[in-house]
Amino acid sequence: MKSYAITDVGKRRELNEDYIYASDKAIGNLPNLFIVADGMGGHNAGDYASKHTVEKVVETIEELQNEQDIEEIIQEAIYRANAYIYEKSKKDSSLSGMGTTLVVATLKDGVVTVANIGDSRMYVVNHDIKQITKDHSLVEEMVTMGGIDREAARTHPDKNIITRAIGVKELVLADFFAVRLEKEDKLLLCTDGLTNMLKDDEIHHIIENNKDVETAARALIEAANENGGRDNIAVVLVEPFGGHE
């Protein structure tokens, strides 16, 4: 396995509210762990939400030594992180209204299990590119109902309105997906700072033309910034069956 994680503040923002985590080695009972979070809230609240959510998820996974079920481990970690952020937002007025998206992925026996909340995404990339997670956003609901098409959704004025986030309500449920991987597959976890700047086929082209995960991840950041860099950008790129250099 090979992976590379990188985040960039972009061209328009002063503060980076995206937060990433990547471990090729075991964390608790999970054989590896990859996380992307995109914080929201005034001042430093978004930064606080994303960082502390990821840290609480990792901490919980490390503690759950008696639990073996992958989905149960991740769901409990998300539950505790949500409770922590929600309570902090209630007690500290400077953190009021904060929240964060979250994508958590782990690979075992050729299967990736991924949980998501919000509009950060995971893709499987090979000869094509396939979005595995489903955005929890207003425009995604509009697309599902047939109100707008996928292309119009990319530039819709309400595209940043998410319908589910960590820390906003007392309870939050993640959506889970499990995908059996092929030998040449790569995994891409990313925030909307990437997907709002680059179309899926552009992302695919960059990954296909930069075989090394670090080179490809850096090229994605560069391309998103060249296209405007209107938001923070986070990329975690994983080659599940790649050997160590």
Side-chain angles (χ1 to χ4, degrees):
M1 174 183 287
K2 290 192 287 185
S3 67
Y4 189 76
I6 184 171
T7 182
D8 188 86
V9 71
K11 297 292 189 183
R12 305 282 183 88
R13 303 289 180 90
E14 294 182 358
L15 179 69
N16 192 349
E17 297 181 323
D18 287 359
Y19 200 82
I20 54 178
Y21 179 89
S23 175
D24 297 348
K25 296 181 171 60
I27 303 295
N29 285 339
L30 300 186
N32 44 69
L33 186 62
F34 307 98
I35 310 175
V36 161
D38 180 359
M40 59 188 186
H43 305 293
N44 294 328
D47 172 55
Y48 185 99
S50 60
K51 180 178 188 290
H52 285 83
T53 292
V54 173
E55 289 177 349
K56 181 61 76 172
V57 166
V58 174
E59 175 188 304
T60 302
I61 290 170
E62 289 174 335
E63 290 174 356
L64 295 175
Q65 296 292 336
N66 294 326
E67 180 61 66
Q68 299 296 324
D69 185 85
I70 289 174
E71 285 196 19
E72 292 288 342
I73 291 169
I74 295 173
Q75 183 59 65
E76 178 64 21
I78 289 172
Y79 173 79
R80 293 190 196 178
N82 182 75
Y84 178 84
I85 298 299
Y86 181 75
E87 288 301 317
K88 282 286 184 181
S89 72
K90 296 299 179 189
K91 292 177 180 177
D92 187 339
S93 60
S94 70
L95 300 175
S96 178
M98 70 173 170
T100 183
T101 69
L102 188 68
V103 179
V104 181
T106 188
L107 297 103
K108 183 177 182 180
D109 299 330
V111 174
V112 58
T113 300
V114 56
N116 84 292
I117 294 166
D119 62 355
S120 296
R121 298 175 178 175
M122 192 194 82
Y123 292 87
V124 173
V125 184
N126 195 328
H127 52 82
D128 59 4
I129 181 168
K130 182 180 182 182
Q131 181 180 338
I132 303 302
T133 55
K134 184 178 179 181
D135 296 353
H136 301 132
S137 68
L138 189 62
V139 294
E140 182 63 33
E141 291 181 0
M142 293 164 71
V143 170
T144 301
M145 294 171 66
I148 59 174
D149 62 22
R150 184 66 60 189
E151 186 56 33
R154 291 190 70 252
T155 55
H156 195 280
D158 293 332
K159 69 178 183 297
N160 291 325
I161 299 176
I162 60 174
T163 55
R164 208 184 299 183
I166 291 280
V168 176
K169 295 182 179 180
E170 195 169 357
L171 291 172
V172 68
L173 287 176
D175 286 343
F176 279 86
F177 305 87
V179 181
R180 179 160 294 282
L181 300 174
E182 303 296 332
K183 186 177 180 182
E184 301 302 320
D185 288 346
K186 291 187 176 77
L187 305 178
L188 170 65
L189 286 71
C190 61
T191 57
D192 65 350
L194 181 74
T195 54
N196 285 341
M197 295 295 98
L198 298 173
K199 296 178 181 179
D200 286 4
D201 60 348
E202 294 173 315
I203 293 170
H204 179 245
H205 179 78
I206 290 168
I207 294 173
E208 279 291 284
N209 284 277
N210 293 275
K211 296 300 184 182
D212 177 71
V213 287
E214 178 178 351
T215 306
R218 290 185 176 278
L220 288 170
I221 297 283
E222 184 179 349
N225 277 325
E226 285 177 354
N227 278 11
R230 291 195 297 269
D231 200 352
N232 310 143
I233 313 154
V235 170
V236 177
L237 197 57
V238 186
E239 190 176 353
F241 304 109
H244 291 284
E245 301 256 333

